[in-house]
Amino acid sequence: MALSKQIMGCSLTEKTSLIPPNTLKSLNYNHNQVRVNRNRSVGTRVGVVKAAISEDLAKFVNAEKAVTFKVRGVLTVRNKHQEDFKETLVKKLDAFADQIGRNVVLVLHSADIDPKTRAPKKSKEAVLKDWSQKSNLKSEKVNYTCDISVVSDFGIPGAISITNKHQKEFYLESITIEGFACGPVYFPCNSWVQSTNDHPNPRIFFSNQPYLPDQTPAGLKVLREKELSDLRGDGKGVRKLSDRIYDYDVYNDLGNPDRGSDFVRPILGGQKIPYPRRCRTGRLPSDTDILSESRVEKPFPLYVPRDERFEESKRITFSTSRLKAVLHNLLPSMVANISKKHDFKGFSQIESLYSEGVPLKFGLQDDILKKLRLPNIVSSQGGSLLKFDIPKILSKDKFAWLRDDEFARQALAGVNPVNIEKLKVFPPVSQLDPEIYGPQESALKEEHISGYLNGLTVQQAMEENKLFIIDHHDVYLPFLERINALDGHKAYATRTILYLNPTGTLKPVAIELSLPRQSKRVVTPPIDATGNWTWLLAKAHVCSNDAGVHQLVNHWLRTHATMEPFILAAHRQLSAMHPIYKLLEPHMRYTLETNAIARQNLINADGVIEQGFTPGRYALEISAAAYKNWRFDLEGLPADLIRRGMAIPDPSQRHGLKLLIDDYPYASDGLLIWEAIQNWVQTYVTQYYPDESFVCNDRELQAWYAESINVGHADLRNETWWPSLANVEDLTTILTTIIWLASAQHAALNFGQYPYSGYIPNRPPLMRRLIPDEADPEYTSFLEDPQNYFLSAIPSMLQSTKFMAVVDTLSTHSPDEEYIGQRQQTDTWTGDAEMVEAFYMFSTEIKRIEEEIERRNRDTSLKNRCGAGVLPYELMAPSSQPGVTCRGVPNSVSI
């Protein structure tokens, strides 16, 4: 309870020097006035401060006129890491103006109502008194102080309003008010405070005390509603970069029709093409299409609410500056220096990217890149070299990618371990319309795979849970004619059958390659040299299919795009003092900015995804087609495993299910994290919601969930599968799913990109040639030089190095990363001491999980994560060092 006392301020019995001595004499501070009330029947069962002053002082106040005394405010402001000349000049002007009355002004708001005026109690205005003296400090954080005059019957402070009369915004990290009998009162802020020149109204910050809407103290009710109203805006006008307004729009900004027909893209979102909503910017329409939003091209930023932008500190700009340097400086230079037609001449030339590098001449940009200190750029006599780190897939065995067992292992422990399914029907059957896409039946026959099943029939192998499938057929087939008509893009719709060996490892036994309205082709493991190269090309096409589904569906759609509506709704409908907002806050960090950068540079017309992946300009249409089958109720890990047939319900097992493949690293590690999140969420939720009536009557909570569905996912709002929100169990499952997707699921799909895809032959994102058969003119050249044919089928040197440069950056942890089990202001993020302690318990469990994952990676019986040349599975290991580490679970979708 020592920590609880520290958080609640109960142990601070020292009398503050800011209270007049004659008042102090009348104070007989009673520790019982500050306590955790566990018998309240309301939702806010938290550490509740009962009064700011003792009963003796109350009697004193009744006898005499209320006494005015001063409390001390300490504001922690974070300096910007870099300032240009204009910002430095404005900062000096602000320091001067501060001395002549253009100050930062604070007003303290009580949680109580004045019984005489029936209005909320407020302090007198106070100004920061040491701004000008500290204006030249270069430290990362600066503490400013002020004295605030309050009357002795003020009550407990619940909010602070701040007016910034300077010209320049500042980042306010926190406020601490000292001098009340209850001890320090904490105000977590983590927000930019704009100048009155841009936003004339004062900013409101609430203390760390959580309240459900119906339990809001009388003095804070109006402020609570006003703050939410300000955040919602009116849905009109062009958003300024300094705004803090959260609203919705469709994806009508991916194309740029003003550049010509090649840059026109369909609008995603609406009845025609359903899709989640994104953050509204309000930009004017393009000149040539009134329905398409005009583009803001790099390096100018897209609007996201000001507090969603990456924090401007030295730690943060490590990753963002690096990404901008890659996109704006490095990629154009690579285009100028590497021939578009240049194919790799051999596998050794690919390996030379890590040892020798690619010569680049930047000219005027050379100085820019040196200042940004891109780790892949090294100086040489002729200019600069672009050198890549050795991807992890090559670190233990550079020939591992050639092996069938490694190809199959990556379906369980690679960068996309969420597509493998139990084979339930053989031959597989398509769900596409046969009148449009041809026969639904597969070309796979029992004779294709029976020789690889250790004497079992296909039916026996299925009954014994020995056969699995990676099925990308229905995802790709509707788009293949258009994809294959693109210059330098060639694809099949693939199905891969895998057999589970007695040792617990998988082996691929057949690959089906389909083209629209043509005979399907089945390729099986080779028995001769020609078959070996054919098999290698077939696996490359499977990996290319898988890379597209991974990036466009599992990664972008399921962890980025579908989460954005829940985040927008949380800011619009949940007050900062709402306990559920406090729970979700670390899991929303940076996501809106990350998604905005993606819309501008990665998923836009002719962006990185279209240039680097097989689907090309149809990439986001594939993502939208997958959204029609997306189901939030199946996005939690246990539900997803059962849906794919990779697990069966089993109440006797620890997680309530049994895995069909015991050594499934993604699933077995993921279940540990899922359980930890679920237990933490359940503990937290039951603290505020004793029974279902509290859930049903929480108007902010219900509005958040309803808006997430009806507005954020408007195109699917009528689906019957949406979970209800009627009791504590519903709320726990919904919140656990959101936190899981934002943290562990995203980490598993993101931070292995360069480690596995940085060696292009292992996982080519783009294929440029189909596999020739004996009737094709290309068959002769394939026979004469199969290695050259393979290298001409995967991305060219320019395509490869551009892709590698981007995924290297996207796989990088920045030094300020917040990992699961961590959060800012660990001791004061909430005023509920019990939940602070519970979060520490959650953090301890996360550390124990990390130790268990390390133990598993040393267990030689687990052959999918331990063995000669086998990579350990660390993508679910919670912590990480900065850089590309192939491990670490950040709290949020932060890159």
Side-chain angles (χ1 to χ4, degrees):
M1 289 303 294
L3 178 60
S4 302
K5 290 181 179 180
Q6 178 186 345
I7 305 309
M8 298 309 303
C10 301
S11 61
L12 273 77
T13 58
E14 300 84 5
K15 297 179 177 63
T16 173
S17 61
L18 297 173
I19 303 177
N22 60 333
T23 303
L24 284 173
K25 292 177 182 178
S26 67
L27 293 177
N28 179 18
Y29 182 68
N30 183 353
H31 288 277
N32 292 327
Q33 297 291 346
V34 185
R35 63 185 181 274
V36 177
N37 187 343
R38 303 180 189 277
N39 298 317
R40 288 177 21 156
S41 60
V42 298
T44 51
R45 296 185 298 160
V46 298
V48 179
V49 178
K50 300 299 291 183
I53 56 176
S54 69
E55 293 179 6
D56 290 340
L57 179 56
K59 294 176 182 177
F60 173 83
V61 170
N62 289 332
E64 301 182 30
K65 186 177 180 180
V67 177
T68 298
F69 66 99
K70 290 183 179 181
V71 295
R72 183 172 184 257
V74 179
L75 282 72
T76 301
V77 173
R78 187 179 301 169
N79 276 334
K80 292 186 72 171
H81 74 283
Q82 284 182 337
E83 293 179 342
D84 56 28
F85 175 75
K86 180 180 177 181
E87 288 175 322
T88 301
L89 179 61
V90 171
K91 188 173 182 179
K92 291 184 180 298
L93 290 173
D94 280 342
F96 174 75
D98 191 83
Q99 295 178 338
I100 59 174
R102 296 287 296 174
N103 311 107
V104 176
V105 180
L106 286 79
V107 174
L108 204 56
H109 297 257
S110 172
D112 297 338
I113 292 285
D114 189 321
K116 295 180 180 179
T117 65
R118 305 307 300 167
K121 296 179 182 178
K122 296 193 296 185
S123 73
K124 295 180 180 179
E125 288 188 350
V127 300
L128 294 191
K129 59 186 179 182
D130 47 2
W131 188 282
S132 57
Q133 296 94 311
K134 297 180 178 180
S135 62
N136 292 322
L137 291 179
K138 301 299 182 183
S139 57
E140 183 185 349
K141 299 178 183 179
V142 180
N143 289 330
Y144 298 97
T145 61
C146 64
D147 292 340
I148 307 173
S149 295
V150 296
V151 293
S152 51
D153 62 349
F154 183 79
I156 298 301
I160 294 177
S161 60
I162 299 181
T163 303
N164 176 14
K165 296 182 181 180
H166 294 166
Q167 298 183 58
K168 187 171 177 285
E169 66 177 4
F170 62 87
Y171 187 85
L172 182 59
E173 188 172 276
S174 64
I175 304 171
T176 304
I177 302 297
E178 301 170 337
F180 285 95
C182 63
V185 182
Y186 298 101
F187 294 77
C189 302
N190 300 310
S191 179
W192 290 93
V193 180
Q194 299 298 324
S195 165
T196 52
N197 295 337
D198 297 314
H199 295 272
N201 294 327
R203 277 297 309 279
I204 301 295
F205 296 100
F206 297 102
S207 76
N208 63 354
Q209 196 70 22
Y211 297 102
L212 295 180
D214 288 345
Q215 308 305 329
T216 308
L220 303 179
K221 287 182 178 180
V222 173
L223 292 177
R224 182 171 186 148
E225 290 301 323
K226 183 182 185 307
E227 175 70 357
L228 285 174
S229 177
D230 290 344
L231 290 169
R232 294 180 195 127
D234 60 6
K236 301 176 182 178
V238 178
R239 298 272 66 86
K240 299 183 297 184
L241 293 178
S242 60
D243 286 345
R244 291 173 58 249
I245 295 177
Y246 298 78
D247 207 351
Y248 303 89
D249 208 341
V250 295
Y251 281 74
N252 62 349
D253 63 341
L254 301 180
N256 190 352
D258 294 345
R259 288 185 63 185
S261 59
D262 287 345
F263 295 89
V264 173
R265 296 294 181 271
I267 295 172
L268 305 184
Q271 290 185 349
K272 188 175 181 181
I273 306 180
Y275 212 63
R277 300 302 188 259
R278 48 93 172 176
C279 183
R280 178 184 179 275
T281 68
R283 294 195 308 273
L284 297 175
S286 66
D287 294 334
T288 55
D289 181 2
I290 195 172
L291 297 179
S292 294
E293 195 170 82
S294 57
R295 290 280 300 173
V296 174
E297 301 293 357
K298 55 191 180 186
F300 300 104
L302 286 182
Y303 168 78
V304 292
R306 183 63 181 99
D307 290 339
E308 304 303 316
R309 299 265 298 277
F310 294 128
E311 294 175 13
E312 298 183 76
S313 69
K314 186 175 182 178
R315 296 190 301 260
I316 295 298
T317 54
F318 169 85
S319 60
T320 56
S321 292
R322 182 173 170 182
L323 178 59
K324 290 177 180 177
V326 168
L327 293 172
H328 308 157
N329 303 101
L330 179 57
L331 296 191
S333 184
M334 290 164 64
V335 172
N337 285 272
I338 305 173
S339 169
K340 292 182 179 179
K341 302 291 185 181
H342 189 99
D343 293 334
F344 290 110
K345 301 305 180 186
F347 290 104
S348 59
Q349 190 174 26
I350 301 176
E351 294 169 14
S352 72
L353 296 174
Y354 318 115
S355 57
E356 300 173 18
V358 180
L360 299 175
K361 294 181 180 178
F362 294 105
L364 295 175
Q365 294 179 346
D366 211 8
D367 290 338
I368 297 173
L369 286 163
K370 285 179 180 176
K371 289 179 181 177
L372 292 171
R373 298 178 182 174
L374 281 171
N376 301 121
I377 303 295
V378 296
S379 299
S380 68
Q381 291 183 344
S384 297
L385 288 173
L386 171 64
K387 283 181 68 174
F388 292 94
D389 294 329
I390 296 175
K392 203 164 185 179
I393 185 63
L394 300 181
S395 63
K396 296 186 73 173
D397 178 359
K398 73 175 187 177
F399 299 114
W401 70 277
L402 286 165
R403 300 197 316 264
D404 284 356
D405 65 285
E406 176 61 23
F407 169 83
R409 189 193 72 85
Q410 290 182 30
L412 300 173
V415 71
N416 187 38
V418 298
N419 270 109
I420 186 170
E421 302 179 61
K422 176 189 172 182
L423 183 63
K424 300 172 184 176
V425 177
F426 189 86
V429 178
S430 171
Q431 301 301 311
L432 297 174
D433 186 343
E435 294 186 5
I436 301 175
Y437 301 107
Q440 294 178 315
E441 292 75 20
S442 167
L444 286 160
K445 306 296 181 186
E446 182 153 353
E447 54 264 30
H448 289 130
I449 64 174
S450 59
Y452 306 99
L453 306 183
N454 290 341
L456 298 174
T457 66
V458 171
Q459 186 62 34
Q460 288 172 329
M462 291 173 61
E463 290 174 356
E464 294 183 19
N465 300 324
K466 299 288 187 182
L467 286 176
F468 298 86
I469 186 171
I470 301 172
D471 191 347
H472 298 313
H473 179 277
D474 288 4
V475 175
Y476 276 88
L477 195 68
F479 297 91
L480 279 187
E481 285 187 335
R482 286 176 285 169
I483 291 172
N484 289 337
L486 298 172
D487 184 31
H489 292 250
K490 292 292 181 282
Y492 298 97
T494 67
R495 290 188 179 108
T496 306
I497 306 296
L498 303 111
Y499 174 73
L500 180 63
N501 293 307
T503 58
T505 60
L506 292 170
K507 66 178 178 182
V509 296
I511 294 172
E512 182 186 49
L513 307 170
S514 299
L515 293 170
R517 287 187 287 277
Q518 296 185 31
S519 59
K520 298 175 171 63
R521 180 175 182 178
V522 176
V523 183
T524 55
I527 56 175
D528 57 32
T530 302
N532 184 70
W533 282 102
T534 302
W535 180 245
L536 192 63
L537 282 164
K539 290 196 296 182
H541 274 283
V542 170
C543 288
S544 178
N545 266 200
D546 198 64
V549 171
H550 160 255
Q551 197 69 271
L552 302 170
V553 180
N554 299 330
H555 181 200
W556 166 253
L557 174 66
R558 294 173 63 186
T559 67
H560 284 257
T562 57
M563 288 298 98
E564 188 157 344
F566 291 100
I567 294 171
L568 291 170
H571 287 285
R572 289 167 52 86
Q573 301 296 342
L574 296 176
S575 167
M577 65 175 75
H578 197 291
I580 300 305
Y581 181 89
K582 292 180 180 295
L583 174 70
L584 289 176
E585 188 175 21
H587 306 290
M588 303 188 290
R589 186 184 189 217
Y590 295 156
T591 302
L592 296 186
E593 172 83 339
T594 297
N595 289 0
I597 291 174
R599 296 203 319 273
Q600 187 179 44
N601 301 296
L602 302 180
I603 63 172
N604 60 304
D606 202 38
V608 170
I609 298 298
E610 289 194 2
Q611 289 184 22
F613 286 80
T614 295
R617 64 178 296 158
Y618 306 107
L620 265 291
E621 291 185 57
I622 287 179
S623 179
Y627 179 62
K628 295 177 183 177
N629 298 316
W630 175 83
R631 290 183 51 165
F632 179 77
D633 62 323
L634 299 181
E635 287 297 281
L637 180 58
D640 178 59
L641 292 171
I642 292 170
R643 177 187 64 82
R644 290 189 283 122
M646 298 302 293
I648 56 175
D650 186 346
S652 68
Q653 298 292 314
R654 173 178 174 181
H655 305 289
L657 54 79
K658 177 175 174 53
L659 294 173
L660 267 57
I661 302 176
D662 290 332
D663 185 14
Y664 184 0
Y666 158 80
S668 56
D669 291 359
L671 286 169
L672 295 178
I673 294 182
W674 169 272
E675 182 182 59
I677 294 172
Q678 185 179 50
N679 290 340
W680 155 236
V681 170
Q682 187 172 32
T683 299
Y684 191 89
V685 166
T686 54
Q687 177 79 345
Y688 303 100
Y689 299 92
D691 58 52
E692 63 184 31
S693 67
F694 285 86
V695 174
C696 295
N697 295 327
D698 185 340
R699 58 184 181 277
E700 286 185 8
L701 181 72
Q702 294 293 336
W704 162 69
Y705 189 55
E707 185 175 284
S708 298
I709 297 170
N710 296 322
V711 183
H713 288 281
D715 305 325
L716 300 180
R717 64 183 180 276
N718 294 322
E719 298 293 336
T720 58
W721 45 255
W722 282 105
S724 61
L725 180 51
N727 54 47
V728 172
E729 291 73 23
D730 293 341
L731 180 57
T732 298
T733 300
I734 290 166
L735 294 173
T736 301
T737 300
I738 290 172
I739 294 172
W740 160 260
L741 291 170
S743 58
Q745 180 80 333
H746 177 259
L749 295 168
N750 183 76
F751 293 102
Q753 289 188 84
Y754 184 79
Y756 281 99
S757 305
Y759 183 65
I760 296 297
N762 177 61
R763 195 172 171 78
L766 167 69
M767 293 297 287
R768 296 182 292 155
R769 303 180 82 169
L770 298 174
I771 304 172
D773 57 30
E774 295 181 8
D776 292 329
E778 295 178 320
Y779 191 71
T780 301
S781 62
F782 166 67
L783 290 179
E784 289 178 352
D785 194 344
Q787 175 179 291
N788 182 67
Y789 191 93
F790 180 88
L791 294 171
S792 68
I794 66 174
S796 67
M797 178 181 284
L798 175 61
Q799 291 169 328
S800 296
T801 49
K802 286 171 65 177
F803 172 79
M804 291 162 63
V806 173
V807 297
D808 173 66
T809 302
L810 298 179
S811 303
T812 299
H813 290 293
S814 63
D816 82 315
E817 200 87 82
E818 283 182 15
Y819 297 97
I820 192 166
Q822 302 174 350
R823 62 179 300 157
Q824 294 180 0
Q825 296 151 340
T826 311
D827 291 342
T828 57
W829 63 273
T830 178
D832 185 342
E834 289 184 64
M835 291 302 96
V836 171
E837 295 283 8
F839 185 77
Y840 275 114
M841 303 260 314
F842 171 61
S843 300
T844 300
E845 176 61 14
I846 291 297
K847 292 174 183 175
R848 191 199 65 76
I849 289 171
E850 185 155 24
E851 293 172 356
E852 172 61 16
I853 290 173
E854 291 172 355
R855 185 200 67 76
R856 291 176 176 182
N857 285 329
R858 296 189 300 268
D859 187 343
T860 55
S861 68
L862 301 176
K863 300 186 183 303
N864 291 316
R865 63 197 306 161
C866 183
V870 175
L871 295 181
Y873 187 72
E874 297 180 305
L875 286 167
M876 290 285 186
S879 69
S880 174
Q881 295 297 312
V884 180
T885 63
C886 201
R887 62 175 291 145
V889 179
N891 274 324
S892 63
V893 179
S894 57
I895 192 165

